Amino acid sequence: MKKLLTIALLVFSLSALAQEKIPVTDSDYSNNSVEMADLMRADGKIYVLVGIIVIIFAGITVYVINTDRKITKLEKNLPS
């Protein structure tokens, strides 16, 4: 019974994931501008975005280093 239910759910999920095909044109290959980035650069907001990304990565790096130090300290305290 479980196998039949699994197969039925898989068949229904395949049709739910289908998307319409959008044709690719020559203008898609020659598009070199990104409107959102150009607008953010013109407004000066791109630097704020880059700053926030740097702060997030720095925070993650500090967290990983601190966690590694704590784990190393715990490993040294374990009896061998």
Side-chain angles (χ1 to χ4, degrees):
M1 186 66 178
K2 288 183 181 180
K3 290 181 182 179
L4 290 174
L5 181 62
T6 304
I7 292 171
L9 289 174
L10 284 174
V11 169
F12 289 125
S13 67
L14 287 176
S15 64
L17 294 176
Q19 298 178 2
E20 294 181 22
K21 187 172 182 177
I22 299 173
V24 178
T25 61
D26 289 334
S27 64
D28 293 331
Y29 291 111
S30 64
N31 186 7
N32 293 329
S33 66
V34 179
E35 294 174 12
M36 179 188 64
D38 293 336
L39 180 65
M40 290 183 76
R41 193 176 306 117
D43 292 342
K45 294 180 183 177
I46 193 78
Y47 303 111
V48 174
L49 178 66
V50 171
I52 290 172
I53 292 172
V54 167
I55 290 170
I56 289 171
F57 279 132
I60 291 171
T61 304
V62 168
Y63 174 75
V64 168
I65 290 171
N66 284 340
T67 304
D68 183 52
R69 287 182 182 169
K70 289 178 184 179
I71 291 173
T72 304
K73 185 178 177 183
L74 288 172
E75 286 175 346
K76 287 181 181 179
N77 291 337
L78 284 177
S80 300

